[in-house]
Amino acid sequence: MRRSTPFARALGGAALLCAVVGMVLGIARYGAGTPRLDALIPLALAAVLAGGWVLAVRVAPPVEVLAAGAPTGVPAALGPIRRDWGYVAGAYLLMWAPYAAARVAYGTDYGRSGSLAASALCALTLLYAVVGSLYGIGLLGRQLGAAQRLLREDAAAGRVHAVRVRNGCAVQENYRSPARTGVGKTDVCVSRWLELEADGAGDVRPVRLRAMEGVNFKIATGEKHLSQAASQLAGHEGWLCWPTRWKEIAATDRRMIVPAAFVTDSGHVVWGCMYEEDWRPWLRGEAAGAGDTEPGLAAVHTTEPGRAAVPAPRPSRVTAAYRGFLLVLLAALLATVPYLLGLVPVLAAAGLAALSGFLTFFGAAILSGSGTDGGPDVWAVREELHPSLR
């Protein structure tokens, strides 16, 4: 990961703006004849600016560990995860790009032929765009899950369970187990967490703070938030906090997952969650299955109204998945060139529009799966085997 520089942000924003202009002109000027230079020129400029953004990110300084701070109390104001407006704009562009490609392909010059295939393609892509936009409202809503918001409310009210911890390392566990797809096949389940070491915990093992869970796009949000913290808050000390209403949360969650937040002395907050095996010694006081003896190891602390904590700065992200995503989008743009210039008949235009839409859909799948960043320099990789494979 690299630092997010103003120059890189300007190039990325300009690329998104040009893409929006090209798509809007392509849809709005439905009656324009070919060649459609009004749409092609902004889209070509967007591709050039996107390439410049990649280069600007690649030459930006690497993300470094943030400076630690002096020990302080638990802040009352825990800042939410900031919306990634570039990601939001990119997501909505991907949703509407197939319809824009189909609409331009079925322009006035082609529409007079009354192609049923082109009309059907427009209808299908419009349906996809509308449904995707409704589903994507989650990107515009609150970036914290309901459980994390309860923790934030308890901190603002003045009381949370808390214990002093140090961020030991960021762990990626690859758990290998037998697969049911064939002889000799194995499945690998990847889990990531921050391993937090508590002072005076005795025999209690380090606590694992996992990515925040949620519905819709909040799952990817939690993974990105955790990876950004892992690269910038290594070795930091602070408070590990749980809500005072943790019993109500655990009792109403099928897997008994409780929200947690790591608040560093440098004034940063890492939102996440914990499974029962991690939070039980601290909140119930006994190991899992050994009873519900109170109190736990994490005492109730009063928060300080004058202090606040915010998420770590968001770095720039050009991973291998992002590079593949941009190449797929470039291929989708090139597929539109023949009919934007009016060089092919209506059926060929509809076919190229369908290809462009499929490539855009494939690019969206690549982008949605690129939530977690970092390599061995960020994550300490551990291999774990199913008992039958040991």
Side-chain angles (χ1 to χ4, degrees), residues 4-378:
S4 179
T5 63
F7 182 59
R9 291 196 296 270
L11 286 174
L16 289 172
L17 179 60
C18 288
V20 170
V21 170
M23 287 177 51
V24 170
L25 287 176
I27 295 174
R29 300 189 69 229
Y30 179 62
T34 56
R36 294 297 307 273
L37 297 181
D38 58 332
L40 184 57
I41 291 176
L43 292 176
L45 184 57
V48 173
L49 291 170
W53 173 76
V54 172
L55 293 177
V57 172
R58 295 294 293 272
V59 301
V63 169
E64 297 178 350
V65 176
L66 300 173
T72 56
V74 182
L78 303 181
I81 299 175
R82 294 179 291 270
R83 293 177 182 84
D84 188 343
W85 290 110
Y87 187 81
V88 173
Y92 272 88
L93 278 173
L94 291 174
M95 294 172 194
W96 285 91
Y99 174 65
R103 182 68 179 267
V104 174
Y106 192 40
T108 301
D109 289 353
Y110 298 134
R112 281 196 283 263
S113 65
S115 169
L116 180 61
S119 300
L121 180 62
C122 285
L124 288 174
T125 52
L126 179 58
L127 179 63
Y128 167 73
V130 172
V131 173
S133 297
L134 294 175
Y135 183 72
I137 291 176
L139 288 170
L140 303 174
R142 297 173 176 174
Q143 299 300 289
L144 293 179
Q148 282 72 26
R149 293 199 298 271
L150 288 177
L151 170 54
R152 192 181 180 208
E153 292 171 2
D154 286 353
R159 288 164 56 86
V160 294
H161 288 275
V163 64
R164 289 288 301 180
V165 295
R166 184 181 69 87
N167 184 11
C169 63
V171 177
Q172 173 180 305
E173 181 184 82
N174 301 326
Y175 185 79
R176 192 176 299 276
S177 60
R180 299 179 180 179
T181 56
V183 177
K185 303 289 186 178
T186 58
D187 290 331
V188 178
C189 178
V190 179
S191 302
R192 298 181 180 91
W193 61 76
L194 296 185
E195 201 164 76
L196 306 176
E197 302 170 353
D199 296 333
D203 296 333
V204 180
R205 61 178 174 78
V207 191
R208 295 172 292 186
L209 180 65
R210 302 177 185 270
M212 176 190 68
E213 294 195 347
V215 297
N216 207 343
F217 292 93
K218 291 188 178 69
I219 297 177
T221 299
E223 291 178 351
K224 290 189 292 184
H225 174 65
L226 189 69
S227 65
Q228 293 161 11
S231 63
Q232 300 179 81
L233 300 175
H236 277 229
E237 296 184 359
W239 294 94
L240 178 58
C241 305
W242 295 272
T244 54
R245 292 177 286 178
W246 65 270
K247 289 184 179 179
E248 289 87 340
I249 297 173
T252 54
D253 186 276
R254 180 174 56 85
R255 292 180 294 171
M256 299 188 71
I257 295 177
V258 169
F262 173 43
V263 184
T264 68
D265 296 330
S266 60
H268 297 95
V269 58
V270 185
W271 292 100
C273 64
M274 289 186 179
Y275 295 167
E276 183 182 7
E277 59 184 351
D278 285 303
W279 61 255
R280 181 177 282 271
W282 301 98
L283 299 178
R284 287 207 185 277
E286 295 288 347
D292 294 337
T293 304
E294 298 282 2
L297 299 177
V300 175
H301 288 256
T302 302
T303 58
E304 297 183 358
R307 292 195 64 241
V310 297
R314 181 180 294 114
S316 293
R317 312 172 64 245
V318 181
T319 62
Y322 260 60
R323 291 192 291 272
F325 161 72
L326 292 174
L327 289 175
V328 169
L329 286 193
L330 179 59
L333 174 60
L334 292 176
T336 66
V337 172
Y339 63 81
L340 285 174
L341 296 177
L343 302 178
V344 293
V346 60
L347 290 180
L352 288 172
L355 174 62
S356 178
F358 173 77
L359 289 173
T360 306
F361 180 80
F362 181 61
I366 295 176
L367 184 63
S368 64
S370 61
T372 304
D373 288 330
D377 56 331
V378 175

